[in-house]
């Protein structure tokens, strides 16, 4: 048998960064996000040769080990996520007994693209293991487990929203509190509103890949040092998350577009390098050609941007962005489904 899974990537609509400690512990965080039909995939094929093989197709990377209870994680290069997940699964759910298998992974988008790539990949891999080993994990369990592996076991800087978005799917308003308390509030948005929102949204890949960890670490440090500009900007970003949630529930998409612009202005104040000359040029091109507002999806510095373009202005925006010869527009639809797992015969 082969055990498969897929988990959707997300657009961070509002509140990004307020899910990161210590801000979420001190003030409480709030995030609005939505998943799209771009996915991370994982497939597990059990082996009988006493080996463990990891294959990540995007990077044309393969790692092979003897079937051991603990794989090395001191070398942070290579397929570290896969090794860290394996170590945790064996320790928590297999009584320390090693497993033998081949794990193949693939993502529809590049790493570091601002759609929650690493966390979504972790969720997809956990889904495949859950399908194979019949692990007793619900949605909150999988999301928090993914957070533990990535943030605590492997000490990777980041927030909490991505794991929950990938697991739950759909449009969610998430609240974050101290002691890792997370509340996921699925929003019941009428289908016509979702269709209009998606049609009026242009997703653009900047061709700029970045390491989000440095930006996230700076945000956390700004909160610890009580940097007034940064903390106030985070308060405002959180405020806009509530505002945009209400805009969606009330079918006020025009107001949501304007709120995106306000949120972007505040987000750039949270840390250095969230924006740069190229990103500012892309943003100005979109708004000059009809977009009401937009932002970077994720921590910033590169990856995907999205813009709300009312009426039929999306076509002017697409034409103008394409003429920049910087990145490319990416077709998409919103997705209501979160983590999905299944089994097939080999």
């Amino acid at each position: 048998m082969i055990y498969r899974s897929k988990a959707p990537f997300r657009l961070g609509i509002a509140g990004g960064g307020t899910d990161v400690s210590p801000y979420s512990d001190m003030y409480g965080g709030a995030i609005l996000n939505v998943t799209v039909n771009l996915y991370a995939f994982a497939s597990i094929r059990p082996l009988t040769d006493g080996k463990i093989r990891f294959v990540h197709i995007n990077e044309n990377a393969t790692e092979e080990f003897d079937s051991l209870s603990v794989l090395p994680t001191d070398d942070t290069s290579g397929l570290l996520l896969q090794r860290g997940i394996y170590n945790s699964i064996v320790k928590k759910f297999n009584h320390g007994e090693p497993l033998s298998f081949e794990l193949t992974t693939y993502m529809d988008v590049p790493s570091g693209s601002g759609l929650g790539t690493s966390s979504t990949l972790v969720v997809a891999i956990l889904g495949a293991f859950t399908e194979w080993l019949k692990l007793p994990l619900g949605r909150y369990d999988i999301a928090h487990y993914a957070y533990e592996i990535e943030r605590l076991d492997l000490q990777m800087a980041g927030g909490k929203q991505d794991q929950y978005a990938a697991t739950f799917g759909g449009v969610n308003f998430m609240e974050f509190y101290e002691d890792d308390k997370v509340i996921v509030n699925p929003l019941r948005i009428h289908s016509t509103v979702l269709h209009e929102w998606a049609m009026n949204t242009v997703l653009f890949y900047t061709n700029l890949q970045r390491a989000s960890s440095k930006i996230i670490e700076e945000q956390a440090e700004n909160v610890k040092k009580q940097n007034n500009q940064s903390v106030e900007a985070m308060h405002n970003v959180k405020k806009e998350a509530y505002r945009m949630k209400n805009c969606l529930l009330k079918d006020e998409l025009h107001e949501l577009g304007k709120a995106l612009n306000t949120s972007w202005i505040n987000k750039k104040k949270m840390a250095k390098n969230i924006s740069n000359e190229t990103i500012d040029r892309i943003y100005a091109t979109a708004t000059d050609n009809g977009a009401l507002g937009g932002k970077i999806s994720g921590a910033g510095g590169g990856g995907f941007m999205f813009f709300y373009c009312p009426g039929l202005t999306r076509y002017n925006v697409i034409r103008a962005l394409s003429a920049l010869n910087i990145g490319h527009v990416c077709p998409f639809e919103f997705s209501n489904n979160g983590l999905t797992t299944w089994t097939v015969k080999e």
Side-chain angles (χ1 to χ4, degrees):
M1 294 291 187
I2 297 178
Y3 306 92
R4 302 197 194 277
S5 70
K6 68 175 185 177
F9 295 110
R10 60 97 187 104
L11 295 183
I13 304 300
T18 68
D19 58 324
V20 179
S21 297
Y23 183 90
S24 58
D25 304 323
M26 296 169 64
Y27 305 106
I31 295 276
L32 175 66
N33 57 36
V34 59
T35 50
V36 296
N37 61 340
L38 300 166
Y39 300 92
F41 298 88
S43 295
I44 291 178
R45 182 167 65 91
L47 300 176
T48 57
D49 61 359
K51 297 291 184 180
I52 296 170
R53 282 194 291 277
F54 298 128
V55 180
H56 188 49
I57 293 173
N58 297 75
E59 298 175 7
N60 194 27
T62 300
E63 292 183 353
E64 182 170 298
F65 303 89
D66 291 328
S67 183
L68 303 171
S69 297
V70 180
L71 299 180
T73 56
D74 50 340
D75 178 5
T76 57
S77 62
L79 305 181
L80 176 64
L81 284 175
Q82 287 83 335
R83 285 178 264 135
I85 294 167
Y86 170 80
N87 289 346
S88 184
I89 289 285
V90 166
K91 181 179 179 180
K92 284 194 171 186
F93 297 106
N94 211 48
H95 309 291
E97 294 297 320
L99 298 165
S100 180
F101 60 93
E102 181 178 81
L103 168 65
T104 302
T105 50
Y106 175 77
M107 302 191 300
D108 283 336
V109 300
S111 298
S113 57
L115 301 185
T117 47
S118 62
S119 300
T120 303
L121 183 61
V122 173
V123 168
I125 293 171
L126 287 179
F129 273 111
T130 299
E131 181 75 8
W132 177 26
L133 303 175
K134 309 301 182 220
L135 304 181
L137 298 173
R139 289 190 297 176
Y140 271 102
D141 299 321
I142 289 175
H144 188 265
Y145 190 23
Y147 166 79
E148 283 186 341
I149 291 172
E150 198 174 2
R151 306 289 178 245
L152 304 182
D153 295 355
L154 298 177
Q155 291 292 297
M156 294 179 169
K160 305 180 182 74
Q161 70 156 317
D162 300 343
Q163 298 87 351
Y164 288 85
T167 305
F168 282 79
V171 186
N172 291 295
F173 186 78
M174 302 180 182
E175 299 169 281
F176 304 88
Y177 302 99
E178 61 182 344
D179 299 324
D180 291 336
K181 180 182 178 182
V182 180
I183 301 173
V184 178
N185 304 286
L187 301 187
R188 297 182 64 181
I189 311 298
H190 196 279
S191 60
T192 57
V193 178
L194 283 175
H195 290 316
E196 182 69 5
W197 184 19
M199 180 175 176
N200 291 352
T201 299
V202 172
L203 183 62
F204 184 79
Y205 184 58
T206 65
N207 274 348
L208 301 173
Q209 287 180 268
R210 81 288 183 270
S212 62
S213 58
K214 291 184 178 179
I215 294 173
I216 292 168
E217 287 167 359
E218 184 185 345
Q219 287 177 193
E221 194 62 27
N222 285 340
V223 175
K224 291 176 184 176
K225 292 180 177 178
Q226 289 295 289
N227 180 306
N228 289 335
Q229 175 178 290
S230 180
V231 173
E232 186 63 28
M234 295 180 81
H235 289 338
N236 290 334
V237 162
K238 181 172 68 173
K239 181 180 175 182
E240 291 301 317
Y242 284 95
R243 178 185 172 193
M244 282 190 249
K245 177 191 74 169
N246 291 331
C247 288
L248 281 177
L249 294 174
K250 294 178 181 179
D251 188 10
E252 296 176 348
L253 292 177
H254 198 82
E255 291 301 313
L256 179 131
K258 292 192 290 186
L260 278 171
N261 185 63
T262 305
S263 183
W264 174 238
I265 291 170
N266 281 291
K267 183 176 177 66
K268 290 193 290 183
K269 299 176 182 177
M270 288 164 50
K272 299 175 183 176
N273 301 318
I274 286 177
S275 190
N276 55 48
E277 185 177 333
T278 300
I279 291 170
D280 288 342
R281 183 183 173 201
I282 293 168
Y283 193 90
T285 299
T287 53
D288 287 347
N289 284 274
L292 283 180
K295 64 185 288 290
I296 285 270
S297 181
F304 279 93
M305 302 179 72
F306 61 91
F307 304 95
Y308 185 78
C309 310
L312 297 176
T313 58
R314 63 175 282 115
Y315 303 109
N316 290 334
V317 171
I318 289 172
R319 190 179 300 113
L321 290 176
S322 298
L324 292 175
N325 293 319
I326 293 175
H328 64 270
V329 172
C330 181
F332 79 99
E333 293 288 344
F334 294 138
S335 169
N336 285 321
N337 297 320
L339 175 65
T340 304
T341 67
W342 67 99
T343 303
V344 294
K345 292 182 180 180
E346 188 170 1

